[in-house]
Amino acid sequence: MKIKSIAFIALAGFAAFLASCTSDQKKEAATATDTALAADIKQHIAVLANDSLLGRKPFTAGEDKTIAYISSQFKKLGLEPGNNGSYYQDVPMVEIGPAAAPTMQITGKAAMDVKNTIDFVAATRQELPSLELKNSPLVFAGYGIVAPEYKWNDYAGLDVKGKTVVVLVNDPGFKAPEKLFKGDTMTYYGRWTYKYEEAARQGAAGVLIVHQTEPASYGWQVIQNSFTGSKLYLTQADKHMNRCKVEGWLSEESAKKLLAGAGITEDMRAYARKKDFKGIPLNSSVSVSLKNKLKYSTSHNVIATLKGSTAPGEYILYTAHWDHFGVKMPAIKGDSIYNGAVDNASGVAAILAVAKKFTQGKDVPNRSIVFLAVTAEEQGLLGSEYYGTHPVYPLNKTVADLNIDALSDFGETCDFSITGKGQNDLDDYVIALTKPYGWTVVGDKTPGSGSYYRSDHFNFAKVGVPALDLHNGANSITKGEAYGTEQLKEYNDNRYHQPSDNYSDSMNTLGMAQTTDLMYKLGQQLGNESTFPGWKAGSEFKAIREKSMKN
């Protein structure tokens, strides 16, 4: 699943470190903003965030209404169906409702019973009615990373087949006294999703990530809320039997006791980042059982294409996720419908508005422009993951992914924020496009939180496509940075992932239009070039792209 609330908090920190916009910046912003574009965006949000769409949850009548609206808008604009004559790409999924046993038993040197949700959480992707780990030997595998480009292999010399690995969250560079990986900037190797994937590649039966608040960037309560209950996953032919039986988390307190049983009493992060670190058995075994409820269904990505004039076999991709959380009980302040006006009706509205600008332009771009509204982002970036593994258009012919997720509704700013700034050449395009206006482009204030891996653009980066996630900043051109930061905090505290994220006639969509227009101009430029943007040196996605481009 996605934990984006932390990412959104980080967005508030993305604000340029300015007291207020200069008079020239205010003038340029006012001149540049397309009020008709703002009106289009607002109209689309009003429809997409209406109660009649029932919170846009996959597998519901709300999905049917949502994708019908988006596809009708694409058709109205004269865009071609993007998937072999259809506006839809089927996304088959399974809902797994795991119920872990109340306790997990650890026997051996560090014998203890740990309590479900208090000391551990456990889930599975394996599509079985029940399963268990029984006396699975525990092995400490450090950060659980195999990263040849950093000459790092925590699994070197370890045989973990049939065993359960215990690994640390984040990567060795976080708060390290010496420069490792990217320092405090998290790489994908630091994400919990990677830890699960690598443990499965190594043949482990189970994987438990040690939770620590600082390197995770969220507290244990997030683990309790977000890693429990039913989850949607993409279906696989092997029913996810290639994954570990159990994927879970272990509290820091329990992990310390477990490691102490193997003689590791020093700081576990410092111990695991030593150059001579070798994974070791923990002289203990683990047993835990799960029972699952399985439900299968199909959701849909919505896709449309504007065919390029001279290079139609090369593609610029715009993405935004259409889904939200649907209807949940109990109601909060009398409202049970999670309409997701900002997150992410605003993003879908933006790509619809970009599509209109392209179709009304005088000249068709050389390259094809693809508009993709993806499903189940709130369930773990699933729609974009499916497209990344089942691309309609060749990935090595896809120039870039331009993603829009949650645009702020407090008006124009003289700054913009790029999630994961420094990853690829698209940053340089944005900086060049904003330079004439004197606007500021900034990156993550809290790069250790790994925000770049928390929205749909990541699944395109993961398969090598340069991907950009752009937001309007915090420095309001009319009321200054403090006001903008306050508005971002207000949204995060009071509306993010709550029924109160509603459409209102008072929404100020000028800032949304400002960002949308910037994304349109970026697509225009990319659409008329013959070169391909690349990944910057040090990016974990650079090698994937270079390999793809050779095919």
Side-chain angles (χ1 to χ4, degrees), residues 477-497:
I477 68 163
T478 57
K479 298 184 179 180
E481 181 190 9
Y483 170 81
T485 301
E486 180 184 344
Q487 292 304 301
L488 288 171
K489 185 177 186 303
E490 183 279 328
Y491 174 81
N492 195 67
D493 291 348
N494 302 320
R495 289 185 284 156
Y496 174 72
H497 284 190

Side-chain angles (χ1 to χ4, degrees), residues 386-459:
Y386 188 82
Y387 185 94
T389 54
H390 300 78
V392 175
Y393 301 108
L395 297 174
N396 62 356
K397 298 295 183 182
T398 301
V399 177
D401 171 56
L402 309 179
N403 187 60
I404 305 178
D405 190 351
L407 298 176
S408 300
D409 60 350
F410 60 85
E412 300 146 290
T413 60
C414 57
D415 62 335
F416 294 87
S417 63
I418 296 176
T419 309
K421 184 172 178 282
Q423 279 280 4
N424 58 58
D425 295 340
L426 296 174
D427 298 354
D428 303 325
Y429 283 77
V430 173
I431 292 168
L433 286 168
T434 57
K435 188 175 181 179
Y437 306 105
W439 297 337
T440 306
V441 179
V442 295
D444 301 4
K445 187 180 179 182
T446 55
S449 65
S451 299
Y452 191 73
Y453 315 110
R454 300 187 182 190
S455 189
D456 288 306
H457 61 279
F458 165 62
N459 279 320

Side-chain angles (χ1 to χ4, degrees), residues 115-137:
K115 296 179 180 179
N116 190 9
T117 73
I118 304 300
D119 306 303
F120 81 98
V121 299
T124 186
R125 295 190 184 213
Q126 293 191 3
E127 298 167 41
L128 297 171
S130 62
L131 53 83
E132 68 174 342
L133 291 176
K134 190 169 184 178
N135 297 320
S136 175

Side-chain angles (χ1 to χ4, degrees), residues 80 121 153 171 178 229 249 306 323 335 362 410 420 440 500 548:
E80 297 179 6
V121 299
N153 187 350
D171 60 44
E178 71 275 29
W249 289 77
L306 176 64
D323 67 295
D335 191 355
K362 293 180 180 179
F410 60 85
T440 306
S500 50
S548 171

